[in-house]
């Protein structure tokens, strides 16, 4: 791998594998609100949150961490405005104590917070307008969770960044990613270049999964899997990822290392691979290389789909985990043989679970994660047993890269009306 491409892969990992506390869409709202308070110089007396449909969908039902059980857009905005630390970005609410939780609830009760659907070309779009006395502030985030493109105080523009729909300003171009390149990078990567990011992912995500199994969160999907099906590695792989989501979607204050802007995808891409690495007795370095394969495959798939859509992101991460597990089992093979193992695992998995829709962040995400991991495992075991789906089977094309492109078209073009219908159901019928 040439030096430029190698550095791009390193940069992508470090840009995408970042800590976040709570579901990332309400946290992005809290972050914008905290920046608005910083801009005003005091808490707002009223606020307006204008957000794109996918933001509204993902924030409507999920708990906001460190708020004592609040959920929804006004709660996220209130938490950020009343007690958030903007310097912490996606961990903006991580330092809130119990006393401040009471203050957040009081602020939410006392402060008018309007919510509007944005008429915007951006799938990811959050604008916070805040007023305190004669002063006003505006903070706008587009395309990804910390990408502030505009800050105003009293109508004066303090920051402005040109933004384009479906672009990710300031981030490494992910078109450099291919499955073959990912496997080459996994062979060549210096441990020092990846261990901080991937090692932190393994530690953080394992901790919240263990908390999910200990506590009582949401529908407790992780516990249900273990109690019903036993503790075989195939079940543990699903249960750990699901338990992390159980905790995260239902108010646990522990951080998660995200992938492609999503904590659920970060959990799904990492924890099943870690369980298989333990089962095989793999050392720390091998475990990290397997997880980075999963992460990069997940990012590669999501780059075609976009950060938010009607297509459930856990499917991509489930495929990623299947690819990481295939790498673990085949890592001693010749590169072309290993490429076949991983590519067929991805294609098989995509053929199974690519119909799952995203209807926002909430407790049932844990069950979708379990299903996505199961598809990744089935894709792997199918090829291990000499079975595969072939080009022409539905949306599957010959070649893993062509199939990935098909999935991107399905998610970005084919599911636009599905996304609108999901949002309409959630906002008018639920």
């Amino acid at each position: 791998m040439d030096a430029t491409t190698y550095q791009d892969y390193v940069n992508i990992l470090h840009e995408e594998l970042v800590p976040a506390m709570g579901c990332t869409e309400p946290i992005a709202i809290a972050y914008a609100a905290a920046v608005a308070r910083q801009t005003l110089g005091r808490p707002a007396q009223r606020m307006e949150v204008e957000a794109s449909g996918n933001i509204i969908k993902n924030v409507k039902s999920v708990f906001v961490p460190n708020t004592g059980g609040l959920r929804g857009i006004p709660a996220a905005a209130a938490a950020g405005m009343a007690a958030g630390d903007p310097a912490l970005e996606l961990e903006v609410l991580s330092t809130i104590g119990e006393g401040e939780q009471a203050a957040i609830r009081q602020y939410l009760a006392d402060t008018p917070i309007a919510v509007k659907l944005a008429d915007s070309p951006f799938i990811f779009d959050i604008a916070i307008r805040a007023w305190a006395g004669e002063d006003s502030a505006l903070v706008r985030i587009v395309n990804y969770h910390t990408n502030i493109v505009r800050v105003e105080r009293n109508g004066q523009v303090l920051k402005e960044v040109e933004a384009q729909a479906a672009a990710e300003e300031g981030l490494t171009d992910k078109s450099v990613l291919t499955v073959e390149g990912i496997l080459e990078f996994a062979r060549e990567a210096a441990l020092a270049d990846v261990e901080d990011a991937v090692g932190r992912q393994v530690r953080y995500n394992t901790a919240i999964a263990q908390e999910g199994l200990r506590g009582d969160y949401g529908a407790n999907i992780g516990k249900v899997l273990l109690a019903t099906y036993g503790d075989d590695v195939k079940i543990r792989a699903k249960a750990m990822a699901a338990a992390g989501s159980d905790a995260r979607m239902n108010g646990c204050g522990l951080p998660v290392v995200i992938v492609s802007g999503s904590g659920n995808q970060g959990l799904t891409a990492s924890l099943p691979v870690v369980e298989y690495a333990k089962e095989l007795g793999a050392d720390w370095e091998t475990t990290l290389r397997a997880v980075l394969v999963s992460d990069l495959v997940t990012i590669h798939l999501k780059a075609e789909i976009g950060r938010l859509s009607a297509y459930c992101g856990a499917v991509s991460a489930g495929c990623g985990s299947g690819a990481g597990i295939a790498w673990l089992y085949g890592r001693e093979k010749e590169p072309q043989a290993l490429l076949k193992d991983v590519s067929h695992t991805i294609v098989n998995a995509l053929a199974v679970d690519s119909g799952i829709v995203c209807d926002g962040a909430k407790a049932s995400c844990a069950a979708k994660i379990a299903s996505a991991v199961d598809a990744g495992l089935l894709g792997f075991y199918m090829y291990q047993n000499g079975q595969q789906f072939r080009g022409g089977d539905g949306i599957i094309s010959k070649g893993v890269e062509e199939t990935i492109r098909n999935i991107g078209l399905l998610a970005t073009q084919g599911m636009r009306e599905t996304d609108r219908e999901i949002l309409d159901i959630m906002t008018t019928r639920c």
Side-chain angles (χ1 to χ4, degrees):
M1 178 173 284
D2 67 80
T4 300
T5 304
Y6 177 92
Q7 191 59 51
D8 284 344
Y9 275 57
V10 171
N11 292 344
I12 287 169
L13 278 176
H14 284 272
E15 290 165 0
E16 296 294 330
L17 272 63
V18 296
M21 180 184 169
C23 177
T24 46
E25 279 70 58
I27 291 300
I29 289 174
Y31 173 52
V35 174
R37 186 197 69 237
Q38 185 180 62
T39 305
L40 276 174
R42 53 182 164 154
Q45 295 168 330
R46 65 184 178 95
M47 273 193 287
E48 178 184 276
V49 182
E50 188 172 359
S52 54
N54 274 276
I55 299 295
I56 292 174
K57 180 178 73 174
N58 268 14
V59 184
K60 176 179 180 288
S61 303
V62 73
F63 286 90
V64 182
N66 275 356
T67 62
L70 300 176
R71 58 182 171 180
I73 290 175
M81 179 61 68
D85 182 351
L88 299 179
E89 296 191 336
L90 294 184
E91 294 182 280
V92 60
L93 305 182
S94 62
T95 59
I96 294 172
E98 288 186 14
E100 290 169 304
Q101 290 181 20
I104 291 168
R105 289 192 292 273
Q106 191 61 51
Y107 180 83
L108 181 61
D110 295 342
T111 307
I113 302 176
V115 178
K116 292 174 58 178
L117 176 63
D119 181 12
S120 169
F122 296 93
I123 292 171
F124 191 115
D125 197 337
I126 298 166
I128 301 276
R129 293 177 175 85
W131 294 267
E134 298 298 316
D135 295 320
S136 65
L138 166 70
V139 176
R140 188 181 183 201
I141 295 174
V142 300
N143 287 332
Y144 60 95
H145 298 77
T146 56
N147 188 39
I148 295 176
V149 298
R150 192 173 184 89
V151 178
E152 294 180 10
R153 189 178 193 279
N154 295 335
Q156 179 183 359
V157 177
L158 305 180
K159 176 179 180 177
E160 186 168 27
V161 176
E162 184 178 353
Q164 297 179 3
E168 294 192 335
E169 300 81 8
L171 299 183
T172 303
D173 183 0
K174 295 177 183 63
S175 66
V176 70
L177 295 172
T178 65
V179 175
E180 186 171 13
I182 289 166
L183 299 182
E184 185 179 3
F185 180 74
R187 288 193 304 273
E188 296 181 5
L191 196 62
D193 289 336
V194 300
E195 185 172 14
D196 284 353
V198 183
R200 179 174 58 185
Q201 179 187 23
V202 171
R203 292 190 299 273
Y204 281 24
N205 294 2
T206 298
I208 196 170
Q210 290 170 341
E211 172 60 21
L213 293 176
R214 279 192 300 268
D216 182 13
Y217 294 97
N220 291 301
I221 299 300
K223 288 182 179 179
V224 170
L225 286 166
L226 293 173
T228 306
Y229 300 109
D231 63 352
D232 176 86
V233 65
K234 294 184 289 296
I235 307 306
R236 296 200 312 273
K238 294 185 284 186
M240 285 293 283
S245 180
D246 285 327
R248 178 174 172 269
M249 293 287 96
N250 293 282
C252 178
L254 291 175
V256 168
V257 169
I258 66 176
V259 171
S260 295
S262 164
N264 280 343
Q265 289 171 55
L267 294 163
T268 308
S270 57
L271 294 175
V273 181
V274 171
E275 287 303 308
Y276 269 83
K278 291 177 184 175
E279 183 75 7
L280 294 175
D283 61 21
W284 178 240
E285 179 175 346
T286 301
T287 300
L288 294 183
R289 292 183 188 277
V291 173
L292 76 82
V293 168
S294 179
D295 287 332
L296 289 171
V297 168
T298 300
I299 294 164
H300 182 26
L301 282 159
K302 281 293 288 180
E304 294 286 339
I305 294 166
R307 290 191 184 265
L308 298 175
S309 78
Y311 184 97
C312 176
V315 173
S316 302
C319 290
S321 65
I325 291 163
W327 183 90
L328 270 173
Y329 277 85
R331 64 188 185 277
E332 302 297 335
K333 293 183 177 181
E334 291 297 316
Q336 287 305 307
L338 178 57
L339 177 60
K340 283 188 176 181
D341 288 358
V342 172
S343 296
H344 283 289
T345 295
I346 294 168
V347 170
N348 289 343
L350 289 173
V352 173
D353 253 12
S354 285
I356 296 181
V357 298
C358 174
D359 54 345
K362 68 283 182 224
S364 67
C365 290
K368 295 185 180 188
I369 284 171
S371 177
V373 173
D374 190 69
L377 294 176
L378 178 59
F380 168 64
Y381 286 118
M382 280 177 60
Y383 195 64
Q384 288 284 96
N385 284 276
Q387 306 300 320
Q388 66 186 82
F389 298 117
R390 301 179 184 277
D393 287 348
I395 58 173
I396 300 304
S397 290
K398 183 175 177 60
V400 65
E401 301 299 339
E402 284 300 315
T403 298
I404 289 172
R405 278 188 279 275
N406 292 350
I407 297 302
L409 289 170
L410 172 68
T412 57
Q413 307 298 322
M415 299 183 82
R416 283 179 178 171
E417 187 58 37
T418 301
D419 212 18
R420 285 191 286 268
E421 193 63 36
I422 290 169
L423 181 62
D424 183 61
I425 290 169
M426 289 179 66
T427 55
T428 64
R429 300 172 64 88
C430 298

